[in-house]
Amino acid sequence: YDAQFWYGGDYNRLWIETEGDHVLSGGDGGELEKLDVQYSRRIARYWDVQAGIGYQRHYGPGPDQDRTYAVAGFQGLAPYWFEVDANLRVSEDGDASADLEAEYDWLLTQRLILQPRFETSFAFQEVEPFGVGQGLNYVKTGLRLRYEIRREFAPYIGVTWMKKMGDTADLARSEDEDVETAGVVAGVRMWF
């Protein structure tokens, strides 16, 4: 799952973002992986600056690991209508990383929208308990097709592909984990 919630007006908002996985077979079920709570302030017509705290939990071989971190970044609409979300994260142990997400809505009709997505992460230090190597960690791309029954309610289906890179891929191989994964996603985009 991947969910975002915000509350507030045009200039000041409270953002809550959470992300996790649910293993359908051979696993322990759904697990919380990431939770961010950020204050957002509008600084330009289409751009917000954000700052807050986050929590991350890693489930893998050996004992489960968790950490908290400070997060700062910006979110907005880049030229040509690309939605961009970029963050810098510094953990309680001083480990720093940066991440970037971008997506674009391509209107096939007034209600049918194709959305290509891209995501990547870069770590400044190796954090072996979390399976994170120094350098570029992964590249994740996806494609979602949604139908807006109403602007406020739009179910979607899609595909996603992720490949771990560099030292992160080496750490995954040493734990006999997959370096490359693909999947099917389905969900509902809604707002009120």
Side-chain angles (χ1 to χ4, degrees):
Y1 64 90
D2 185 356
Q4 289 184 347
F5 308 93
W6 64 264
Y7 177 79
D10 290 339
Y11 288 93
N12 297 296
R13 294 181 179 171
L14 176 67
W15 279 89
I16 299 173
E17 297 181 42
T18 183
E19 187 176 315
D21 289 323
H22 181 75
V23 179
L24 294 176
S25 63
D28 295 331
E31 306 292 354
L32 175 70
E33 289 188 356
K34 184 177 88 167
L35 174 68
D36 291 348
V37 178
Q38 299 179 62
Y39 166 75
S40 177
R41 173 76 178 161
R42 175 72 36 101
I43 57 169
R45 185 174 188 143
Y46 298 111
W47 291 98
D48 294 348
V49 65
Q50 298 176 319
I53 59 171
Y55 172 80
Q56 184 180 19
R57 187 155 182 90
H58 177 71
Y59 301 89
D64 296 341
Q65 302 287 329
D66 61 347
R67 64 180 170 176
T68 56
Y69 49 84
V71 59
F74 60 90
Q75 180 173 342
L77 201 56
Y80 302 103
W81 301 100
F82 284 91
E83 289 188 38
V84 175
D85 187 0
N87 295 292
L88 176 64
R89 301 174 192 280
V90 180
S91 79
E92 59 201 6
D93 297 325
D95 305 318
S97 65
D99 57 72
L100 171 72
E101 293 181 33
E103 57 190 44
Y104 180 78
D105 285 349
W106 185 20
L107 276 66
L108 302 176
T109 69
Q110 289 297 316
R111 293 183 183 262
L112 191 63
I113 295 118
L114 186 64
Q115 183 186 70
R117 303 167 59 89
F118 173 80
E119 182 179 336
T120 191
S121 177
F122 183 90
F124 296 97
Q125 297 91 6
E126 181 176 292
V127 187
E128 191 172 342
F130 282 83
V132 174
Q134 184 176 1
L136 186 63
N137 298 139
Y138 66 88
V139 172
K140 184 176 184 180
T141 60
L143 197 59
R144 293 181 181 178
L145 181 66
R146 76 174 183 267
Y147 183 77
E148 292 184 345
I149 296 169
R150 298 189 56 169
R151 292 222 10 109
E152 299 86 0
F153 187 81
Y156 64 84
I157 59 169
V159 294
T160 183
W161 173 81
M162 184 183 80
K163 182 170 182 175
K164 294 178 181 176
M165 312 290 280
D167 292 346
T168 301
D170 294 340
L171 288 171
R173 284 186 197 100
S174 71
E175 297 293 337
D176 292 326
E177 294 178 8
D178 292 332
V179 175
E180 192 172 337
T181 58
V184 176
V185 296
V188 176
R189 179 177 171 158
M190 61 183 159
W191 55 277
F192 46 91

